[in-house]
Amino acid sequence: DFCLSRGLGDVYKRQPGQSTIFHTHRFAGGGVYVIEVAFTLELEGPAPVVVRAGQSFVESPQLRMAGFTEHD
């Protein structure tokens, strides 16, 4: 299993357990749309957000976050 997600025109294939580093986006409009499985965003401040297949999440500018797929 893997997570397929789309962000700003790019498609990313993430293996189970794969993660991103904590980072920010300078401008509004960044986001993720999950095509298959689920992707969890750990946000600095708000509770984590699980984005499941068919759902999207718009990332706020300057909000520190990291994302990961679940382990098998």
Side-chain angles (χ1 to χ4, degrees), residues 10-58:
D10 298 319
V11 176
Y12 303 97
K13 182 177 179 179
R14 301 188 189 278
Q15 300 299 323
Q18 187 175 0
S19 64
T20 67
I21 61 169
F22 261 94
H23 64 283
T24 62
H25 295 275
R26 292 177 47 190
F27 304 105
V32 62
Y33 173 77
V34 177
I35 300 167
E36 295 179 6
V37 191
F39 190 67
T40 300
L41 290 165
E42 290 186 350
L43 310 172
E44 187 174 75
V49 174
V50 178
V51 186
R52 301 191 188 288
Q55 297 179 326
S56 62
F57 179 80
V58 176

